[in-house]
Amino acid sequence: MKKSLLLLSALLLCFTTQAKTPEGMSIFVKHEINATDKISSVGIAQRIRFAYSDMGAEATTNISYAEVITEEGYLEEFMAWEVGVKFGYFSTISVYVEAGIDLSESLLNDNRNDDCCYDYYDQHNSPDGYAGAGIGFQLNRARIEFSARARKIDSELWQSEAYVFYGAQLTLEF
C-alpha cells in the first residue's frame, strides 16, 4: 500500500508540474493518527479566495490508505478516495473548518465486506465522512497544517473503535 501511495504521489507531482496549473493549486501529503489507527493520504487541492479578503475555500481530493481497529478488535485495512472542502481564513496563519466524504464508498458502493465467511449485502451503508478544524502556517510556497477530525468509518459488518483523529499535513503550492 505504501508503494501505491508513493506511485500516486509521483504521478500527481508529474501532472501538476507538466500541466499549466491554475493559481491556488497545491499537492499535499497528510498523516492522521489516534491511539490505535492511522490514515495516510496524498492529494491535490484548489484554493479560492473571496474577493478582497483572506477568507476563502479550498476543495481537496485525496487517495488514502487506512488501518483501523474495529469495535470487535479486528484490524481493517482499506483504500479510500476522499473529497472535501475547507472554509476559513487563509493567510500567513490560516484557521479553517472542513468536511468531506469517501467518494469511493459513495460511487462504487464499497461496503468493505471482504470477509470470506459473510455473504451479506445491504444498500443502506452510508458513505464514510469527516468534519474537523485546523490551523496552518504558510512558509513561502510550503504550508504545514495541524487538524483534528471526527470521522465516521464503518461498513455493513463493522465500525471503527475510535472516531477522533489528529493529523499533520505538508502542502506544496504551485
Side-chain angles (χ1 to χ4, degrees):
M1 289 302 161
K2 291 182 181 182
K3 288 181 183 178
S4 298
L5 286 175
L6 285 173
L7 179 61
L8 181 61
S9 64
L11 289 173
L12 286 172
L13 183 61
C14 290
F15 170 75
T16 56
T17 56
Q18 296 300 317
K20 181 169 173 61
T21 56
E23 187 176 328
M25 180 71 103
S26 59
I27 185 170
F28 64 88
V29 292
K30 182 171 189 133
H31 191 68
E32 298 174 69
I33 61 170
N34 60 30
T36 58
D37 309 328
K38 61 183 173 181
I39 301 173
S40 298
S41 307
V42 60
I44 56 176
Q46 176 65 51
R47 183 169 291 167
I48 302 165
R49 292 191 190 271
F50 300 150
Y52 309 108
S53 170
D54 286 331
M55 300 298 289
E58 185 173 77
T60 63
T61 185
N62 59 276
I63 302 295
S64 301
Y65 170 71
E67 294 178 356
V68 299
I69 301 295
T70 67
E71 289 178 334
E72 293 80 25
Y74 296 107
L75 174 66
E76 292 289 337
E77 300 173 78
F78 58 90
M79 298 284 290
W81 173 27
E82 295 179 327
V83 295
V85 65
K86 298 177 181 179
F87 293 101
Y89 176 81
F90 298 101
S91 187
T92 305
I93 296 177
S94 301
V95 179
Y96 59 87
V97 295
E98 63 181 336
I101 63 167
D102 179 354
L103 198 58
S104 60
E105 192 172 18
S106 300
L107 294 178
L108 303 176
N109 203 12
D110 178 12
N111 291 320
R112 297 191 184 121
N113 295 334
D114 296 335
D115 196 317
C116 67
C117 306
Y118 293 99
D119 186 18
Y120 180 82
Y121 179 74
D122 186 352
Q123 295 184 12
H124 302 293
N125 184 25
S126 61
D128 295 351
Y130 66 86
I135 186 168
F137 305 95
Q138 187 77 35
L139 306 165
N140 294 324
R141 295 231 176 244
R143 184 172 67 243
I144 187 156
E145 298 177 16
F146 301 98
S147 64
R149 288 180 172 174
R151 287 184 167 271
K152 175 192 162 292
I153 302 175
D154 65 1
S155 79
E156 294 300 328
L157 302 175
W158 58 266
Q159 286 190 337
S160 64
E161 183 178 51
Y163 297 98
V164 177
F165 286 79
Y166 303 97
Q169 177 174 314
L170 176 62
T171 303
L172 300 175
E173 296 178 350
F174 297 97

